[in-house]
Amino acid sequence: MNPKRILIVEDSLTVVEQMRLFLRNENYKVTHAGSEFGMYQMIEEYGKVVDLIIMDLTLKNENGLDLIDNLRKNEKYSKLPVIVVTEHAQVDFILRAKELQVSDYIRKPITKETFIKRIERTISQSTDTNVADNMTHTSDS
Amino acid sequence: MAHPTYSVPLFSQHMEVDSSDLINLFQTFIEEFAEEMIDLKASLLNKDYIQMQRIAHNIKGIAANLEMDSLFEFTKSLNDGLKNNEPLPFDELVTKIEKEYTSIVDYLKEYYGSALNLEG
């Protein structure tokens, strides 16, 4: 099976390096962007090949939820799975994340086990959804 | 060889990666944190508290992920104080952060010796 491609949107190189180490022996291709501009560069470059975005919510100059909001406004990326990495657990944050169809969230500090499990679960659910979508389209046609 | 607040072997157990990978991670940490400290002190001088809070938030996340508990507590105090407009002695907190960072870097240098390849 082709490895899934994960795009990490995070402005700390140390945290990116740590995430890469967590994923190194897993069957994923990992790319990285440090800003919204970089994120669009990467997803436009890889197009449909980006299977999951890991989004840090508190980038130094940008708000991760706003980035997801902008992403969702683009039909092409409206269903792209996103996992957010955050320290927030307030109700208003969770409600907004749900509105933006965030797939899951990981609390900081990140542990390897949690990180990999959440990614596996999200990608698996996304694949199931795609299969279901394809079946629906097939039966419609 | 020990550090009063940080343990490489303990962190290494949690990371489950090779020593060389851990060294690369620490090198990235040392370089990134050094740059952040320069920006943090410049922001303090310029009284740019918004930028200070952004930096404090970033380095707090790094310290948390690398299980540097004391560094995390100092950066958290700075971040929370700035976020909530508390009248804290920010200069003292920045000094504490820098001292703790320097102490951890010294420990890492001693722990890894020449394997930790730092420029400058």
Side-chain angles (χ1 to χ4, degrees):
Chain A
M1 196 168 73
N2 285 338
K4 301 286 185 185
R5 186 177 289 275
I6 295 173
L7 172 60
I8 299 170
V9 183
E10 162 68 64
D11 57 3
S12 164
L13 292 179
T14 307
V15 176
V16 172
E17 178 75 16
Q18 188 179 31
M19 288 177 177
R20 282 185 189 276
L21 287 177
F22 285 157
L23 293 169
R24 205 176 60 172
N25 295 323
E26 308 296 321
N27 190 28
Y28 299 116
K29 285 187 176 176
V30 181
T31 49
H32 158 240
S35 64
E36 181 171 31
F37 178 74
M39 175 182 80
Y40 279 110
Q41 273 192 320
M42 297 306 289
I43 57 179
E44 292 292 337
E45 181 180 344
Y46 291 111
K48 290 179 183 171
V49 187
V50 171
D51 299 289
L52 170 69
I53 291 180
I54 308 281
M55 172 79 69
D56 178 25
L57 275 200
T58 40
L59 300 167
K60 219 181 278 179
N61 298 309
E62 292 164 318
N63 179 324
L65 283 177
D66 292 341
L67 265 64
I68 300 168
D69 196 6
N70 293 339
L71 199 65
R72 293 300 185 227
K73 285 172 186 161
N74 186 329
E75 200 178 338
K76 272 199 290 187
Y77 309 121
S78 61
K79 290 188 177 171
L80 183 59
V82 178
I83 294 177
V84 297
V85 180
T86 179
E87 292 164 15
H88 305 285
Q90 296 99 329
V91 175
D92 57 344
F93 154 75
I94 293 170
L95 287 176
R96 186 159 182 230
K98 277 188 177 176
E99 276 173 16
L100 295 171
Q101 296 176 33
V102 164
S103 305
D104 208 340
Y105 72 97
I106 300 172
R107 295 283 303 276
K108 287 182 182 176
I110 307 161
T111 63
K112 183 177 181 176
E113 191 184 359
T114 304
F115 191 62
I116 291 171
K117 270 187 185 170
R118 299 290 170 89
I119 288 172
E120 282 175 352
R121 188 169 67 186
T122 299
I123 286 186
S124 161
Q125 285 169 348
S126 158
T127 307
D128 290 347
T129 307
N130 289 341
V131 170
D133 283 350
N134 290 340
M135 288 172 72
T136 308
H137 292 149
T138 307
S139 61
D140 285 348
S141 59
Chain B
M1 179 186 326
H3 186 271
T5 63
Y6 192 54
S7 166
V8 168
L10 198 60
F11 178 63
S12 175
Q13 278 176 24
H14 298 163
M15 279 294 292
E16 300 170 43
V17 295
D18 295 342
S19 180
S20 60
D21 291 328
L22 213 52
I23 290 171
N24 287 338
L25 179 64
F26 283 131
Q27 283 180 180
T28 307
F29 155 73
I30 290 169
E31 287 161 18
E32 181 176 7
F33 213 98
E35 286 176 17
E36 293 288 55
M37 281 310 305
I38 292 168
D39 292 344
L40 186 65
K41 287 191 280 186
S43 305
L44 178 65
L45 278 176
N46 296 329
K47 296 186 175 16
D48 183 349
Y49 298 119
I50 292 172
Q51 182 65 3
M52 268 187 88
Q53 197 257 318
R54 286 174 180 154
I55 296 167
H57 185 89
N58 186 38
I59 58 180
K60 174 172 71 98
I62 295 169
N65 274 2
L66 299 193
E67 300 176 13
M68 296 169 173
D69 296 342
S70 283
L71 197 56
F72 170 75
E73 289 303 328
F74 296 145
T75 50
K76 183 178 186 307
S77 297
L78 181 63
N79 178 65
D80 292 351
L82 289 161
K83 200 162 69 177
N84 302 323
N85 289 317
E86 292 169 17
L88 294 177
F90 294 132
D91 51 346
E92 285 177 24
L93 273 173
V94 171
T95 303
K96 276 186 183 176
I97 291 167
E98 187 167 37
K99 273 189 183 168
E100 181 67 11
Y101 163 71
T102 306
S103 157
I104 289 173
V105 172
D106 288 345
Y107 164 63
L108 293 173
K109 282 178 181 170
E110 194 184 348
Y111 192 91
Y112 286 113
S114 58
L116 196 66
N117 182 23
L118 299 172
E119 291 178 7

